[in-house]
Amino acid sequence: MTIGSQFGMIGLGRMGANMMRRLHRSGLTGVGYNRSTEVTKDLVDEGVIVGAESVEELVATVEQPRFIWIMLPAGVVDTVIDDLVPLLDKGDTIIDGGNSHYQLDIARAERLAEHKLHYIDVGTSGGVHGLDRGYCLMIGGEQEPVEGLEPVFRALAAGVDAAPRTGGRTGGLVQAEYGYLHCGPAGAGHFVKMVHNGIEYAIMQAYAEGFNLLTRAGIGREDREIDAETAPLGDPHHYQYEIKVDDVAEVWRRGSVIGSWLLDLTAEALNRDPALDGFHGQVSDSGEGRWTAIAAIETGTPTPTIVDALFTRFSSRDTDRFANQLLSAMRAGFGGHSEKAGEGGGDEGEPTNGGTTK
C-alpha cells in the first residue's frame, strides 16, 4: 500500500487538477472526483488519476486509512464534509485545501473528532502556475495525520531549489525549506494563509498605485482647463514624461529590491496590453483580506496598509458611489460648487450641477 492508493481528491478545477498532475509526476496516482465528469475523464485519459463518478465511489475506492482532500470553494466545503462523514471509517482524514476561514477549521476539527475522524487545513498558494512551480503549503491539524501526508506535501511543495538558502541557516534542512510547514493545530494553516493573502493584497495595491502614477507622469503636456473647481498643477514643466510602463516593469525585474513573482506577472500583463484595455478594473476579493482585517481589529494589531488595500478593492466595484454623490452634494450646498462632468460625478458629456443632471 502507498499513499497514492490512500489518497482522494474532491474537486478537479484549475487548482485540484494540476495538484493531481503534480502528484502523478512524483509517482502518486490517487482517486479523483469532480462534478463535471468531462474533467474527470480528461485526467483519467492522461493517466493522472483513478476516476470516480461519485463521492461514494471515491470513498469506496480509496484504501484505509483514507486521506480525502477537498479542493472546492469555501462555501461548499461543509456540505461535502457532511456527505463524507457517514461514508468514512475511524482514523480517516479530511483535508480542506481551499481558502476557508480558520475559525471554521477549529469547529470542523472538533466536530469530526466526535466521529473519530481527523481534520487538516492546508492553505495552498501557487495558483494556476503551481503545476510547474510547485505550491507553498501552510498546514494546520494534529501531528499524526499531518505526518501521514508527508509524501503528498513533499510532492506538491515547490521544493528546496525554489529559493536559495537563507543566509545564516546551517545544519540540516527543515520542513519549511521544502515549501511546506505544519503551522500548528486546527486552523493554524488557514490563519497563516489568511495573513499571506492580506499581504498579497497590500503588495498588489502598492504595484498598482506606483504604475498608475507612472502613467500620469506626462500630465503637464495636456491642455488643462483652469477653473475654480480644480486645483491647478503646480508646475506643468515637472510632468513632461512619456514613460513606457511595460519597460519599467521589465527593468524592475532585474536587480531591483522590489522584484517579485507578482512583478513578473505584472510585466507579462503590460507586455500583452500596455493600456490594460482588456480589464475594467473591478477588483474582487474572495474573503481572506476581510478576515485578516477582522483578526487585526480583534487582536488590536495595526495593519493599515492591508486594510486600505481591501477598501480600495471595494471602491473599485463602485460601492462608494453614494458616498461620492453625497460629498458632491455637500460641496454644492456649502459653497455652490458645480460638479465637473466626467470627474467622479457625472458621466462624460453629462454636465451636472450640484448633483442634478440638467
Side-chain angles (χ1 to χ4, degrees):
M1 182 187 299
T2 68
I3 189 66
S5 63
Q6 296 171 259
F7 185 82
M9 175 77 76
I10 298 176
L12 302 173
R14 289 175 297 178
M15 289 282 284
N18 277 347
M19 291 170 74
M20 293 303 280
R21 289 186 176 102
R22 188 168 175 87
L23 287 175
H24 181 67
R25 290 180 181 180
S26 296
L28 302 177
T29 301
V31 184
Y33 165 73
N34 195 73
R35 187 171 59 179
S36 169
T37 56
E38 183 178 347
V39 174
T40 305
K41 182 180 182 301
D42 289 343
L43 290 173
V44 170
D45 291 344
E46 292 178 35
V48 169
I49 63 169
V50 175
E53 295 185 1
S54 65
V55 171
E56 291 80 4
E57 183 179 346
L58 180 139
V59 172
T61 306
V62 176
E63 299 178 21
Q64 293 179 259
R66 305 177 182 92
F67 295 92
I68 309 298
W69 190 302
I70 301 171
M71 205 66 194
L72 294 168
V76 300
V77 170
D78 281 311
T79 300
V80 175
I81 290 176
D82 289 341
D83 292 340
L84 283 171
V85 168
L87 304 174
L88 298 177
D89 295 294
K90 177 182 176 181
D92 290 347
T93 301
I94 295 176
I95 307 106
D96 176 16
N99 281 324
S100 291
H101 194 299
Y102 76 95
Q103 294 177 7
L104 293 175
D105 297 318
I106 297 171
R108 289 168 184 164
E110 293 172 350
R111 177 163 64 93
L112 291 176
E114 296 175 0
H115 297 275
K116 309 300 181 184
L117 299 173
H118 302 293
Y119 178 81
I120 296 175
D121 53 283
V122 182
T124 307
S125 182
V128 295
H129 297 274
L131 173 60
D132 296 315
R133 289 172 53 94
Y135 300 90
C136 174
L137 305 172
M138 296 143 272
I139 306 158
E142 303 165 80
Q143 187 69 32
E144 181 182 349
V146 169
E147 289 178 352
L149 275 169
E150 192 86 13
V152 171
F153 296 141
R154 186 70 65 93
L156 290 174
V160 173
D161 295 334
R165 197 168 203 199
T166 300
R169 276 194 177 270
T170 59
L173 295 169
V174 300
Q175 192 181 68
E177 293 179 277
Y178 287 93
Y180 64 98
L181 179 66
H182 184 194
C183 302
H190 276 148
F191 188 93
V192 174
K193 178 57 163 44
M194 174 189 76
V195 176
H196 165 284
N197 283 23
I199 293 171
E200 177 185 301
Y201 280 32
I203 294 173
M204 292 171 69
Q205 186 64 30
Y207 281 133
E209 291 176 6
F211 278 99
N212 188 43
L213 182 57
L214 290 174
T215 68
R216 296 178 60 77
I219 196 171
R221 295 181 289 112
E222 300 175 3
D223 292 329
R224 296 174 62 83
E225 180 183 350
I226 299 175
D227 59 50
E229 301 304 315
T230 307
L233 187 64
D235 189 340
H237 182 66
H238 293 160
Y239 300 97
Q240 296 287 323
Y241 305 113
E242 186 173 356
I243 296 175
K244 286 178 58 61
V245 291
D246 53 333
D247 284 345
V248 171
E250 204 60 51
V251 74
W252 281 352
R253 293 181 61 225
R254 292 164 172 81
S256 166
V257 297
I258 62 168
S260 71
W261 185 41
L262 285 172
L263 182 60
D264 295 343
L265 297 176
T266 298
E268 290 177 13
L270 291 173
N271 181 60
R272 289 191 303 267
D273 182 5
L276 300 180
D277 291 328
F279 298 89
H280 296 294
Q282 295 185 358
V283 188
S284 299
D285 72 291
S286 53
E288 299 86 353
R290 302 185 190 204
W291 304 334
T292 304
I294 292 169
I297 292 168
E298 291 183 339
T299 61
T301 306
T303 57
T305 307
I306 292 174
V307 171
D308 184 62
L310 173 66
F311 285 170
T312 300
R313 292 194 179 199
F314 295 162
S315 295
S316 77
R317 305 197 291 269
D318 210 20
T319 56
D320 58 354
R321 175 181 289 272
F322 186 79
N324 291 330
Q325 289 174 306
L326 188 57
L327 285 170
S328 187
M330 285 189 283
R331 214 167 163 267
F334 69 71
H337 300 283
S338 297
E339 189 173 81
K340 285 180 64 66
E343 291 194 8
D347 294 329
E348 195 74 40
E350 294 182 6
T352 60
N353 186 5
T356 302
T357 302
K358 290 190 175 183

